[in-house]
Each structure stands twice: as C-alpha cells, then as structure tokens.
C-alpha cells in the first residue's frame, strides 16, 4: 500500500506516519515546511518514507501537491490538516470572525476533496480527520464546532454523490484531546495518543468497509482495553 499523509508533521499526522511505517507501507509525508519534513524523515530514517512540500491553501496548490505525490499511484490519502484558534465567546464572534475560521479550517478540506478525490483510483481510500466538536460545543469554541460539523457533512456529501467512483470516502472524527508531540507535557490520561489514533487510521485504511457509514467516531472509550 502507498499512503499519502497530508499534515504529516502535526500531532495526528506523526502518529499516522508511525503506524503506516510500522505496517511496512510506502508512505509519503506532505507538509508546508521543508525543515520540519526533514526532521520527520531523520527521526524515522526509513527508506519507505518520502516527503513532499505543499499545501491545500488553494486548488492550484492542492493540484501541485497531487502531482508531486504522484496521486494516481496512491492507495490512500489521509488529510490531517488543522490550524490553531484563539477561544472567544460566541457573542464576540461576528460573521467576519466565523468566516475567517471557516476559511482557515474548512477551505483546505474543500480544496483537498475537489482536487484529490477525482484523481484517486477505484478501490483507493480518502480519509479526512475531523474533530469531536462536530457533536459538542465548548465555551469559546463555537466557530470551530461549526467548522467541524460542516466538514463532517462535506464528507457525507462526497460519499453520497461520488459513490460510483469506487473510492472509499471516510472521516474519522476524533472525540478527544490529542496527546501528541506538541502536547505531551500537558496531556492527561483521558487524551488519545497520536499512536492510538495512527493505529485506528491504519486499521481503517487496511479495511475501509469494517465500519458502516462514511463518518466514524474514535474516543477514549474505544481505545484498546477500555
């Protein structure tokens, strides 16, 4: 299997990279910055891992990334991209603020779906990583919750309307905080680790039909031994 992981140097992305390599899969790590990708490659020192610099900021950028990764030969794409957001009370979030958050967090997923999905071969899997605030709203996080709900429905729409393509379209909704390289020092026992998420992702890539429906939820209660 050849897997393209976009957002590979983030907390979730690094867990997915580790799990793909553990399974012996040829893995392409895509990210914005050459230096962080070089650090990732040095960390793993694995001939199965290659890197591609690129972004999903626009459809043209997504097309360049697809070409660089030779998307036609990819068995699976995992889109883990995200961005930070400063919490603010919903009463302070006017339309300009809401649209700014949508532009920052949802635009990359829209661009990825429009550009990458039509280029994937039959039987390939497209997996977007979403957040648990699609189903829950926390103080100060209303715009992010709105984006995550919209992303979930974006995946559902693509799954329904792109069914004849033969591509398996999925979203893994992470309903927990993530214990990754940037949060290790503050993470609690109720946080899912990057490796746990990576293992769940590779399970889905190995057998995308193991769960019904395009949107799957992964929480602490689903972890091994829970």
């Amino acid at each position: 299997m050849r897997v393209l992981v976009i957002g590979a140097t983030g907390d979730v992305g690094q867990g997915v990279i580790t799990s793909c390599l553990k399974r012996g899969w040829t893995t392409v790590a895509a990210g914005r910055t050459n230096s962080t990708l070089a650090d990732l490659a040095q960390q793993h020192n694995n001939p199965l891992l290659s890197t591609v610099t690129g972004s999903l900021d626009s459809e043209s950028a997504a097309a360049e990334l697809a070409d660089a990764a030779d998307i036609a030969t990819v068995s699976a794409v995992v889109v883990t991209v995200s961005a930070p957001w400063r919490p603010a009370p919903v009463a302070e979030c006017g339309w300009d603020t809401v649209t700014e958050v949508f532009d920052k967090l949802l635009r990359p997923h829209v661009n990825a779906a429009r550009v990458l999905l039509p280029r994937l071969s039959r039987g390939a899997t497209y997996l977007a990583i979403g957040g648990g605030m699609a189903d829950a709203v926390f103080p100060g996080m209303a715009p992010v919750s709105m984006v995550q709900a919209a992303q979930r429905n974006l995946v559902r729409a693509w799954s329904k309307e792109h069914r004849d393509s033969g591509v398996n379209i999925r979203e893994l909704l992470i309903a927990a905080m993530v214990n990754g390289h940037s949060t290790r020092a503050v993470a609690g026992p109720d946080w899912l680790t990057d490796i746990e998420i990576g293992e769940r992702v590779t399970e889905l890539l190995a057998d995308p039909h193991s769960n019904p429906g395009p949107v799957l939820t992964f929480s602490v209660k689903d972890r091994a031994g829970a």
Side-chain angles (χ1 to χ4, degrees):
M1 181 177 289
R2 186 169 187 263
V3 182
L4 170 62
V5 182
I6 306 176
T9 61
D11 287 335
V12 172
Q14 291 201 30
V16 175
I17 292 289
T18 299
S19 296
C20 287
L21 293 175
K22 181 180 176 182
R23 284 180 177 254
W25 293 347
T26 301
T27 307
V28 182
R32 292 174 173 274
T33 310
N34 285 326
S35 59
T36 54
L37 287 171
D39 290 343
L40 182 69
Q42 184 176 23
Q43 172 191 333
H44 287 283
N45 190 27
N46 191 319
L48 292 174
L49 178 64
S50 61
T51 63
V52 169
T53 304
S55 78
L56 300 172
D57 290 344
S58 65
E59 290 190 16
S60 60
E64 290 176 4
L65 192 159
D67 290 339
D70 195 9
I71 195 72
T73 67
V74 165
S75 308
V77 174
V78 184
V79 184
T80 73
V81 296
S82 187
W85 157 253
R86 181 184 60 82
V90 68
E92 297 178 9
C93 297
W95 183 242
D96 288 344
T97 299
V98 171
T99 53
E100 178 185 352
V101 178
F102 266 71
D103 190 68
K104 181 186 293 185
L105 300 181
L106 189 62
R107 181 190 290 270
H109 286 277
V110 173
N111 291 338
R114 278 178 53 82
V115 173
L116 303 183
L117 271 168
R119 299 191 183 198
L120 290 174
S121 303
R122 294 188 68 86
T125 298
Y126 178 93
L127 177 63
I129 302 299
M133 282 187 286
D135 290 315
V137 181
F138 296 96
M141 302 299 288
V144 177
S145 180
M146 294 161 68
V147 166
Q148 291 180 0
Q151 180 182 322
R152 176 179 59 187
N153 283 335
L154 173 71
V155 171
R156 284 175 171 162
W158 271 98
S159 177
K160 181 173 290 188
E161 297 178 13
H162 209 58
R163 186 172 297 155
D164 292 342
S165 69
V167 176
N168 304 301
I169 302 172
R170 302 286 186 272
E171 180 183 53
L172 182 63
L173 195 154
I174 309 300
M177 298 292 287
V178 178
N179 177 350
H181 68 98
S182 73
T183 59
R184 205 80 74 197
V186 298
D190 57 340
W191 293 30
L192 285 172
T193 69
D194 47 359
I195 299 302
E196 287 178 304
I197 295 170
E199 289 297 312
R200 186 69 183 102
V201 166
T202 55
E203 287 173 2
L204 289 172
L205 299 185
D207 184 8
H209 301 292
S210 59
N211 288 274
V215 179
L216 316 168
T217 300
F218 186 43
S219 68
V220 174
K221 68 182 180 181
D222 301 312
R223 70 183 356 157

